[in-house]
Amino acid sequence: MSDTGAAEEGIARCDLSVQVSTKLNRSHTITGREALILPCLGRTEIDRQASGEQFVSVEDTVSAVHASRGAVEPVGTNLLSEVAIVARIARAVADARRDRGADAHDLDAVDWEAFERDYDVIRDHIAAVVPGCDDYNAKIRRESGFVLPHGPRDSRTFPTSDGKAHLTVNALEHVACPPGRLLLQTVRAHDQFNTTIYSRNDRYRGIKGGRDVVFVHPDDVAELGLRDGQQVDVHSEFEDGVDRVLPDVRVVAYPTARGCAAAYFPEANVLVPLGAVAEKSNTPVSKAVVVRLEPAAVPAPQPS
């Protein structure tokens, strides 16, 4: 999430943090006062349960749903699946309620053991409540899976009061960028999925061996008195007056738009305040960050 420092401080104030993880990563060093790390099977690993090998389903950006089945042996013999972890936590919470003499009817009404034993049971429940997922277990076993229904795309029908599409027009609000400043956006590299970084390279932009860079138009590089390859600190400027800094990154002269710059997500999250969000959607304004570039601070010499 945005405002890395504030996020870390908030997590540290929690009494307990729990992470379900396929691999150790830096997020495990940012925890609540007590912390649990629950190792789980990755999606590439074979998931064996009481009813046999299981598969899960995934949906892509065009509403296509297909099966995903692990093909490699698990890295450990005692790893639980995500389904098993959630189901067992639910059963443990129900047991704890009963031990205190409290009502656990809502949890007992769910057959958690069946969910863990056979994922088809979960899909049957999904089929009962999610439009387009009827006969889920048969559809998902098709070689190409299936596509969820979409009224405007499939039949030009719209779930509105008059059955017609409602279009809105919104005035474009330009972000004021003072002289000597740039408008920063955050981007992802080619070898990256969400916040998972598979390599330090970016074949899209010709970057190799590192992500600590800021892309700036060559004319802006010259106008700001900088040079390609120079190390700089990126400071964001917001009305709260807090100096948020992405330190010691390399300037890359790149044909982005004049007056604009780009840096990698999630590294540049540190520059975006928690309160800087879009109206209604509440998403961080990671495409409109006013920044200034300063030569990187030279670290103080260490005593010998």
Side-chain angles (χ1 to χ4, degrees):
M1 61 188 301
S2 58
D3 213 337
T4 308
E8 292 180 356
E9 291 174 8
I11 293 173
R13 289 196 299 269
C14 294
D15 291 330
L16 173 68
S17 60
V18 182
Q19 291 157 288
V20 179
S21 305
T22 59
K23 294 176 178 63
L24 289 173
N25 58 74
R26 184 179 176 275
S27 71
H28 296 127
T29 67
I30 312 298
T31 68
R33 297 181 181 93
E34 291 188 72
L36 295 177
I37 300 173
L38 305 180
C40 76
L41 290 171
R43 194 148 56 90
T44 58
E45 295 173 303
I46 300 171
D47 184 352
R48 298 183 179 93
Q49 301 297 335
S51 66
E53 291 188 9
Q54 305 297 310
F55 66 88
V56 298
S57 57
V58 294
E59 179 187 349
D60 65 19
T61 54
V62 295
S63 302
V65 182
H66 60 87
S68 177
R69 189 186 304 271
V72 300
E73 288 294 328
V75 295
T77 58
N78 59 347
L79 285 176
L80 298 178
S81 69
E82 292 177 277
V83 172
I85 289 172
V86 172
R88 294 186 189 192
I89 288 175
R91 300 207 309 266
V93 170
D95 291 342
R97 283 187 185 176
R98 282 190 292 270
D99 290 344
R100 298 197 308 268
D103 181 22
H105 174 75
D106 57 336
L107 290 171
D108 289 336
V110 179
D111 190 348
W112 299 103
E113 291 183 356
F115 284 173
E116 178 181 345
R117 182 172 59 249
D118 185 354
Y119 299 173
D120 277 358
V121 177
I122 301 174
R123 285 184 281 269
D124 283 339
H125 281 269
I126 294 173
V129 296
V130 178
C133 287
D134 53 290
D135 206 14
Y136 198 164
N137 278 309
K139 289 179 177 177
I140 199 63
R141 284 173 166 80
R142 299 172 185 168
E143 183 177 354
S144 58
F146 66 100
V147 178
L148 292 173
H150 186 273
R153 178 198 63 204
D154 301 336
S155 56
R156 299 297 186 267
T157 56
F158 304 89
T160 58
S161 58
D162 58 4
K164 296 181 179 180
H166 292 180
L167 305 180
T168 60
V169 177
N170 300 280
L172 178 62
E173 297 182 10
H174 293 277
V175 179
C177 197
R181 305 301 191 262
L182 299 172
L183 193 61
L184 179 81
Q185 64 171 325
T186 61
V187 296
R188 304 184 196 190
H190 178 272
D191 293 334
Q192 177 178 355
F193 180 78
N194 293 334
T195 56
T196 302
I197 299 164
Y198 295 108
S199 84
R200 312 299 291 179
N201 303 328
D202 183 0
R203 71 180 72 176
Y204 289 151
R205 303 173 183 90
I207 299 298
K208 296 182 179 180
R211 292 168 51 90
D212 297 324
V213 301
V214 57
F215 300 96
V216 183
H217 192 281
D219 293 345
D220 288 323
V221 173
E223 188 173 293
L224 293 171
L226 303 172
R227 66 181 185 278
D228 184 28
Q230 181 176 351
Q231 297 296 121
V232 298
D233 297 334
V234 183
H235 298 253
S236 64
E237 298 184 350
F238 284 89
E239 293 179 356
D240 61 8
V242 177
D243 186 30
R244 296 176 176 85
V245 186
L246 178 64
D248 201 25
V249 298
R250 176 169 57 91
V251 172
V252 174
Y254 190 83
T256 185
R258 282 297 311 271
C260 297
Y264 287 121
F265 161 93
E267 288 88 345
N269 285 357
V270 67
L271 297 171
V272 185
L274 280 177
V277 295
E279 295 179 2
K280 296 185 180 181
S281 69
N282 206 38
T283 55
V285 293
S286 300
K287 302 296 183 186
V289 183
V290 176
V291 298
R292 70 181 187 276
L293 307 184
E294 298 182 355
V298 178
Q302 298 298 312
S304 57

